[in-house]
Amino acid sequence: MSIPTRTEIELGRSHFKDANARVRTALETADEVVLSDVNAQRYLGCALPASKRLSIYGTPGNDLGCYMDGGTVEVFGDGQDQVGNTMNNGTITIHGRCGDATGYALRGGTILVRDNCGWRAGINMKQYEDRCPAIVIGGNAGAFLGEYMAGGVIVLAGCAGDYVGSGMHGGIIYVRQPLEEERIMNGLIQEAVDTKDEPLLNELLTAYDSAFANEAPPLSLSDTPWYRLRPATARPYSSMYAH
């Protein structure tokens, strides 16, 4: 059995193109690359394949893990915009908060965020073949969470901003803080979770608790009731189109 190899790189203020070139070269021979002093370099972990890992200390730039294809990214700090953009598979763990459009067009894999997310987390999220993408947010989310969502799962432990699920026509959003009736968008239904939800929801909450042990209060199905937000029908906005 081969022993996993590990390489360390300090990025400092290097240009994002240079930074990514160094990372790609390191990944040719290493299973894990540890990046220190990261300062907003974009596209880190782009198309990262399975069995490869990035451990990032600092603040990576936009599009972290974009098009990722099975790898693992862990950020010991905050993420910026579009974390996991069009990700196919893998896991991104953020020990902090994220900017806007986290999980943009996510179609596979899991994103775990310890704290808050900005606007439009999960926008255009979809299921691809047998993959069910998931985003778990331990804090609050900005407006338009799950906008135009077509598949997958979002779990929100904190409070949601306005327009949750705007244009949503697939997937499920689980919330621990139920929305007031007037804030539920037309075409959507909010209801208490039932036993059918428990296996998947428990799996995602356990993944969050494991990732952020001793950093954040544990999430559980037993301590507080959870609710699901889903489309009322398979085509909740069909009345808006000409027939």
Side-chain angles (χ1 to χ4, degrees):
M1 182 176 178
S2 61
I3 299 174
T5 54
R6 186 172 183 264
T7 297
E8 298 184 14
I9 299 175
E10 183 177 337
L11 293 187
R13 303 207 175 182
S14 59
H15 190 276
F16 77 90
K17 290 184 179 179
D18 296 331
N20 280 282
R22 293 171 65 192
V23 171
R24 285 193 296 270
T25 298
L27 286 168
E28 290 177 2
T29 56
D31 299 305
E32 178 183 7
V33 175
V34 180
L35 302 178
S36 62
D37 195 19
V38 177
N39 289 281
Q41 285 88 359
R42 291 173 277 172
Y43 309 126
L44 295 174
C46 182
L48 189 70
S51 80
K52 298 293 185 177
R53 175 185 175 90
L54 287 184
S55 297
I56 299 175
Y57 293 83
T59 303
N62 291 356
D63 290 299
L64 172 73
C66 60
Y67 311 114
M68 201 165 81
D69 206 17
T72 300
V73 173
E74 187 163 12
V75 178
F76 298 91
D78 297 330
Q80 294 194 28
D81 296 345
Q82 293 153 213
V83 170
N85 179 2
T86 322
M87 187 166 89
N88 291 316
N89 208 352
T91 303
I92 298 177
T93 303
I94 308 289
H95 292 261
R97 68 174 305 280
C98 284
D100 296 339
T102 296
Y104 176 81
L106 187 68
R107 53 188 178 181
T110 302
I111 299 175
L112 305 172
V113 182
R114 189 190 67 191
D115 300 331
N116 303 332
C117 271
W119 287 32
R120 292 188 160 89
I123 180 174
N124 280 327
M125 193 169 160
K126 57 183 71 68
Q127 289 187 218
Y128 178 68
E129 296 181 342
D130 60 344
R131 299 172 185 168
C132 181
I135 302 173
V136 184
I137 304 166
N140 303 327
F144 297 99
L145 176 70
E147 185 179 28
Y148 305 127
M149 188 173 170
V153 177
I154 296 175
V155 180
L156 178 66
C159 297
D162 293 331
Y163 312 113
V164 178
S166 177
M168 178 181 178
H169 55 98
I172 297 175
I173 299 175
Y174 292 110
V175 293
R176 192 163 62 168
Q177 311 292 333
L179 303 179
E180 299 85 352
E181 191 68 30
E182 63 272 14
R183 296 182 63 213
I184 300 173
M185 303 294 290
N186 291 335
L188 303 183
I189 290 176
Q190 178 176 265
E191 57 199 358
V193 301
D194 57 30
T195 55
K196 292 182 295 184
D197 298 280
E198 290 180 3
L200 176 57
L201 188 50
N202 259 323
E203 178 184 343
L204 293 172
L205 296 178
T206 299
Y208 178 94
D209 290 345
S210 177
F212 306 119
N214 304 317
E215 294 181 34
L219 303 180
S220 170
L221 271 174
S222 60
D223 60 354
T224 307
W226 285 80
Y227 300 82
R228 67 181 176 221
L229 194 66
R230 63 171 178 84
T233 68
R235 298 184 66 220
Y237 307 102
S238 60
S239 62
M240 299 172 63
Y241 300 91
H243 295 280

